Amino acid sequence: MATRWKNKCKIKYFLWTLLCIVPAMVILSAYPHIREQSEKESRKYYTTREFAEMLYNGNQVLYEEISGANTRELDPPGNSFREIRPYLQYEVLNKNGKTILKNGESLKQLLAQDHLKKYDWIVQMEYDHLGNAEVTECYGTYAQKMKVRLSEGLYYQYEDQYEDVETAEEMGTPADCTFLYGMTKEQGEEYQSYIGNPFYAVYYRSGMADMIRISIFVLIGAAILLPFVKKLNTGNERGFQMPVEIIGITVIGLLILWEAVTSLVISTMRGDIQDRLVQLGLSNGDAESMVMAWNLIVWIIYFSLIYWVTGSIRNLISIGWKQAVRERIFLIPFLKKHRAKLEKACSFLKKKWSGLAKRVDIFFRIDLQEQSNKVIFRFVAAQFVIVSLFCMGWFFGIAGVLIYSVVLFRTICKKYYKIKQDYQRMLQATEKIASGNLDMSMEQDFGIFDPVRKQLLQIQSGFKSAVDEEVKSQKMKTELITNVSHDLKTPLTAIITYVNLLKEEGITEEERKNYIDVLERKSMRLKVLIEDLFEVSKATSKNVKLELAKVDIISLLKQVKLELSERMEKSELDFRWNFQEEKVYLTLDSQKTYRIFENLLINILKYSLEGTRVYIDVSDNEDIVTITMKNISKGELNFNPGDITERFVRGDVSRNTEGSGLGLAIVKSFVELQKGKLTIEVNGDLFVARIEWRRTEMEEISSQTSCL
């Protein structure tokens, strides 16, 4: 009995071994056939339509080089002829048969003398006076097939590109010329090395892939059917009673190994592995034997795994799914044993999932400022990936798609409700701003309308600034009217008073003369005030004509200094003039610039503390020219530096000093009209006026003669 059982085991194991070794040996025996087929395929590259199109493109390129014809539009982008040209012999003949271009020996003479042994192929194409092409000569192993491909290529190219052109002259194609191309065996090998060997194509066309598939199906069938042969007593061995997890991992491994096994066959056929072993010092024979042995071992292992996986799956099905779940799934007892740890891990994963959900929400978040194509592309790409994964599940994928559709529907509804809430919040904020509530807070998130919230904040800020500016403007208008009235009323009152005094009888000639002098001073004062008022009004409205020219700032300051020299000497001020002797040119209006310097210096003479120093500095730093005037005020500087350049604003609020209050306003207007910048700084009793002009901005007004 024991002997019989041992015999059955021997037969069973022998049968298993035979089922795994025989297919491996059969496949190994097919290797020479694949190698032979690949070598044949490697010499047939010139019989393809793509190769024929390369030569046709060569006709166009060579014709252009010879005749200068306008064939650039006929030369497709990335012209394939440029790739094959280094490996070709070519010759071009005119209509008289004279060679006009070649890159080596004459192919015409070789054809005539029949000296073609070193060539893989030679072809000759002739064009008549109308540009019609014909393949007249073709030499090579596959000459007839090559001639057919070339004729087809010429026909299709002509039909595709020139169907609306009647003559060769109109389309600029070759005419009255002959093109010869050839490739020596050495050039053919070099070109073949350049384009790569067609082992992958041969692998599938030779039937090797089908042979492997058939072997796999035979093994699967044997693993399923052999247990029905009761004498063999197979199918319930311990080796077939593996956990489901191991079986699943093995199945995935086999699917991955399919590509690895394919690559092994192709690498063996190309000789890559053998070449590396030879480089390590083995002989060609030993390297080849080792490679074939390795292939045999790999195929036996691969087929053994297939047989074992199939038998394991069959055994799993035979015991029923309940018993399989209870006994063959390793994770179930493991989960029961480590339940507490798993719950902790689930809690951790839940937090991570929450973080992932936030990232996904950010990924799919709609930003109205972003290009819509990007948002749509992200959504469509994600749906494509998800649906593709479901499609891999075949029938089970349909159930997955249904579940996913429900989840997607609820997600979109939730997203829509959130957008609707954000929209309502945005409308409420807009209504409050429209009703005049400019101090409302908009700190809440508007979702996809958050960019609109930012714009509303800018509108709110802009409205507040506009309102504040309007209030300030109204206040300034009131002050302007008051100041103008005061400054005009003072000399006007004096004029009226002295006119009335002149009307009195009994005044002496000396008194009359004094009254007239006072009237003259007050009239001139009134005239200057009115002129300044008109001038600053015109400057503010930018209705001033500028007479632009190259002006030397240094000379202009010296001129103002000379004009005011008498007042400077009487002022008891120590003026320090710090500027270079070289000329500093700017494109300015000399009269307006003179008025700028004059007003600033007069302001210094009026308000500076006697016995102090006044600094006038000029610096020229390439692009920027800066004029700085510093003085110590005799009165307290208790005003805002930004307001002192407004109209009718003075440093002395009591307005006891003589002046119109328009001096610095005129300075600011004239500086800004000439693309400059006026800055007023106050530091204690130190008053600083700084003017900056940039030469780059001067160029912008150099071609202008007036301001709008």
Side-chain angles (χ1 to χ4, degrees):
M1 187 73 180
T3 304
R4 186 181 299 176
W5 183 82
K6 287 181 180 179
N7 290 334
K8 288 181 179 180
C9 288
K10 287 180 181 178
I11 294 171
K12 178 173 60 177
Y13 291 131
F14 175 75
L15 191 58
W16 290 355
T17 305
L18 202 63
L19 285 171
C20 296
I21 293 177
V22 170
M25 296 293 293
V26 171
I27 290 171
L28 227 62
S29 65
Y31 277 24
H33 172 69
I34 299 175
R35 186 181 287 110
E36 182 182 352
Q37 287 292 107
S38 65
E39 289 176 357
K40 289 181 180 180
E41 289 287 336
S42 67
R43 313 306 295 176
K44 291 170 62 179
Y45 59 87
Y46 49 82
T47 63
T48 62
R49 180 173 175 178
E50 292 77 10
F51 191 82
E53 291 176 352
M54 290 184 190
L55 296 183
Y56 175 77
N57 290 334
N59 296 346
Q60 297 295 130
V61 173
L62 295 177
Y63 181 72
E64 180 180 352
E65 292 178 1
I66 294 168
S67 63
N70 183 21
T71 61
R72 295 189 182 276
E73 295 181 358
L74 311 178
D75 187 12
N79 182 7
S80 54
F81 181 69
R82 293 170 188 160
E83 299 178 5
I84 195 176
R85 189 169 185 173
Y87 308 97
L88 279 179
Q89 296 288 331
Y90 55 83
E91 183 177 6
V92 184
L93 312 174
N94 61 14
K95 63 180 179 179
N96 298 321
K98 183 179 179 181
T99 301
I100 53 179
L101 178 67
K102 67 177 181 177
N103 69 336
E105 58 187 337
S106 174
L107 297 176
K108 177 184 178 183
Q109 294 179 5
L110 289 174
L111 282 172
Q113 298 170 7
D114 199 22
H115 292 168
L116 307 173
K117 293 182 180 180
K118 67 176 182 177
Y119 277 83
D120 264 351
W121 57 269
I122 295 178
V123 65
Q124 177 177 306
M125 290 176 280
E126 294 184 4
Y127 285 81
D128 61 16
H129 66 287
L130 294 177
N132 298 316
E134 181 183 1
V135 181
T136 54
E137 293 286 347
C138 196
Y139 161 81
T141 306
Y142 299 96
Q144 187 60 34
K145 192 171 183 180
M146 188 178 184
K147 187 173 183 180
V148 171
R149 291 297 186 203
L150 286 168
S151 301
E152 289 176 353
L154 292 171
Y155 171 77
Y156 286 124
Q157 291 285 345
Y158 186 88
E159 288 295 314
D160 292 343
Q161 298 189 31
Y162 315 123
E163 56 185 3
D164 296 328
V165 184
E166 294 183 356
T167 65
E169 184 178 355
E170 291 176 352
M171 63 187 174
T173 56
D176 285 329
C177 58
T178 302
F179 296 87
L180 291 98
Y181 298 99
M183 188 177 284
T184 65
K185 289 179 170 48
E186 290 78 10
Q187 288 174 326
E189 291 175 359
E190 290 177 5
Y191 180 68
Q192 181 61 55
S193 177
Y194 169 72
I195 63 176
N197 292 322
F199 281 108
Y200 276 96
V202 175
Y203 172 78
Y204 288 101
R205 286 202 297 266
S206 64
M208 171 63 82
D210 294 333
M211 189 185 305
I212 295 172
R213 293 189 185 100
I214 291 171
S215 300
I216 291 172
F217 289 140
V218 169
L219 280 170
I220 293 173
I224 294 172
L225 297 176
L226 282 178
F228 289 103
V229 181
K230 294 183 179 180
K231 292 182 179 182
L232 294 176
N233 193 24
T234 185
N236 294 315
E237 290 84 356
R238 191 181 183 90
F240 293 131
Q241 298 176 11
M242 289 294 164
V244 174
E245 292 85 354
I246 295 177
I247 297 172
I249 292 171
T250 308
V251 171
I252 296 171
L254 286 172
L255 294 174
I256 297 172
L257 279 174
W258 172 259
E259 289 297 326
V261 171
T262 301
S263 299
L264 175 64
V265 175
I266 293 170
S267 298
T268 302
M269 293 298 98
R270 287 193 304 216
D272 296 342
I273 303 175
Q274 185 175 343
D275 291 343
R276 290 176 186 174
L277 292 175
V278 170
Q279 290 174 1
L280 293 174
L282 295 177
S283 65
N284 283 326
D286 292 341
E288 184 177 2
S289 299
M290 187 175 291
V291 170
M292 296 305 289
W294 170 244
N295 275 262
L296 180 62
I297 292 170
V298 169
W299 281 118
I300 291 173
I301 293 173
Y302 189 75
F303 288 140
S304 299
L305 288 172
I306 291 173
Y307 185 85
W308 173 78
V309 166
T310 306
S312 298
I313 294 173
R314 181 193 179 284
N315 182 271
L316 202 65
I317 295 171
S318 65
I319 65 175
W321 70 270
K322 289 183 179 180
Q323 186 178 349
V325 170
R326 187 170 57 252
E327 298 178 359
R328 300 289 180 85
I329 297 180
F330 176 74
L331 286 176
I332 290 179
F334 176 83
L335 293 175
K336 291 179 179 179
K337 185 177 179 180
H338 300 88
R339 182 174 180 179
K341 293 181 179 179
L342 289 171
E343 288 178 352
K344 187 177 180 181
C346 288
S347 178
F348 174 77
L349 290 174
K350 188 176 181 181
K351 292 180 181 178
K352 292 295 182 182
W353 174 259
S354 178
L356 179 63
K358 289 181 180 178
R359 291 189 180 93
V360 172
D361 184 64
I362 292 171
F363 180 77
F364 289 110
R365 186 168 184 173
I366 301 172
D367 188 351
L368 297 178
Q369 290 183 322
E370 191 178 4
Q371 291 184 1
S372 58
N373 290 345
K374 291 183 178 179
V375 179
I376 297 171
F377 175 77
R378 284 203 300 264
F379 182 79
V380 172
Q383 303 313 308
F384 173 77
V385 172
I386 294 170
V387 173
S388 298
L389 292 174
F390 281 125
C391 289
M392 294 179 183
W394 297 96
F395 176 77
F396 299 101
I398 298 175
V401 169
L402 291 174
I403 296 171
Y404 174 70
S405 299
V406 174
V407 173
L408 184 63
F409 174 76
R410 295 201 58 173
T411 303
I412 293 175
C413 288
K414 185 178 178 181
K415 191 75 174 177
Y416 174 77
Y417 181 72
K418 175 70 167 54
I419 292 173
K420 192 174 180 180
Q421 286 182 321
D422 296 337
Y423 179 68
Q424 291 298 327
R425 280 198 294 270
M426 183 191 68
L427 284 182
Q428 291 172 4
T430 307
E431 290 172 358
K432 288 180 180 179
I433 293 175
S435 64
N437 185 358
L438 302 180
D439 295 320
M440 63 165 291
S441 174
M442 284 190 289
E443 296 180 357
Q444 67 271 30
D445 185 16
F446 281 12
I448 67 169
F449 301 106
D450 201 55
V452 180
R453 181 180 68 86
K454 295 176 182 178
Q455 297 296 328
L456 288 174
L457 285 171
Q458 292 181 2
I459 292 171
Q460 184 184 37
S461 176
F463 279 174
K464 288 183 69 175
S465 298
V467 170
D468 293 342
E469 192 67 29
E470 182 64 23
V471 171
K472 181 180 177 182
S473 177
Q474 292 296 332
K475 183 179 178 182
M476 287 182 62
K477 286 180 181 179
T478 303
E479 291 179 355
L480 177 63
I481 294 171
T482 303
N483 293 337
V484 169
S485 300
H486 179 274
D487 288 346
L488 292 177
K489 186 177 180 181
T490 301
L492 189 58
T493 301
I495 291 171
I496 294 171
T497 301
Y498 283 97
V499 167
N500 290 332
L501 289 174
L502 283 173
K503 291 179 180 180
E504 293 181 359
E505 297 180 359
I507 61 174
T508 64
E509 188 63 30
E510 185 178 354
E511 288 176 333
R512 187 184 299 277
K513 185 177 180 181
N514 289 335
Y515 294 162
I516 291 173
D517 290 340
V518 173
L519 283 172
E520 185 178 7
R521 287 200 309 273
K522 297 300 181 181
S523 298
M524 293 304 296
R525 165 81 180 128
L526 189 60
K527 178 184 177 184
V528 170
L529 184 62
I530 293 172
E531 287 178 350
D532 286 350
L533 182 59
F534 275 113
E535 193 156 17
V536 77
S537 298
K538 287 170 62 180
T540 304
S541 63
K542 297 184 179 181
N543 190 25
V544 177
K545 184 177 181 182
L546 295 177
E547 299 293 339
L548 299 174
K550 281 192 175 182
V551 176
D552 178 18
I553 297 297
I554 306 300
S555 299
L556 205 59
L557 274 172
K558 289 179 179 179
Q559 184 179 348
V560 177
K561 174 184 175 183
L562 182 63
E563 290 291 332
L564 299 176
S565 58
E566 185 176 349
R567 293 183 61 178
M568 290 179 183
E569 291 173 1
K570 294 179 181 180
S571 65
E572 300 180 5
L573 296 173
D574 184 6
F575 280 85
R576 302 293 179 90
W577 303 84
N578 300 319
F579 46 73
Q580 61 193 38
E581 291 299 326
E582 292 83 1
K583 296 182 178 182
V584 179
Y585 285 106
L586 289 173
T587 304
L588 298 168
D589 185 315
S590 59
Q591 184 179 357
K592 302 294 185 296
T593 310
Y594 180 91
R595 183 69 182 278
I596 291 168
F597 296 154
E598 182 184 40
N599 284 10
L600 289 174
L601 288 171
I602 290 174
N603 194 66
I604 289 172
L605 290 169
K606 284 182 182 179
Y607 298 107
S608 295
L609 181 65
E610 292 82 356
T612 58
R613 285 183 289 273
V614 177
Y615 293 90
I616 293 91
D617 301 321
V618 178
S619 65
D620 184 3
N621 297 326
E622 295 182 358
D623 183 45
I624 301 176
V625 176
T626 307
I627 299 97
T628 307
M629 298 186 184
K630 305 176 185 177
N631 67 286
I632 302 298
S633 175
K634 60 184 175 184
E636 184 181 359
L637 301 177
N638 55 358
F639 53 81
N640 185 353
D643 295 337
I644 194 66
T645 55
E646 298 296 338
R647 290 168 289 180
F648 290 102
V649 176
R650 294 189 194 171
D652 60 330
V653 182
S654 61
R655 308 184 71 82
N656 292 324
T657 57
E658 184 177 322
S660 63
L662 297 171
L664 289 180
I666 292 173
V667 169
K668 180 182 179 182
S669 298
F670 285 176
V671 169
E672 291 178 351
L673 279 172
Q674 299 181 96
K675 302 294 182 181
K677 180 182 179 182
L678 173 66
T679 306
I680 302 296
E681 298 176 6
V682 172
N683 187 2
D685 291 335
L686 177 65
F687 183 88
V688 181
R690 182 177 290 107
I691 301 172
E692 289 183 358
W693 273 299
R694 289 183 179 270
R695 286 192 170 89
T696 52
E697 295 185 2
M698 294 294 98
E699 293 174 0
E700 296 179 8
I701 63 170
S702 60
S703 61
Q704 302 174 0
T705 57
S706 64
C707 294
L708 299 177

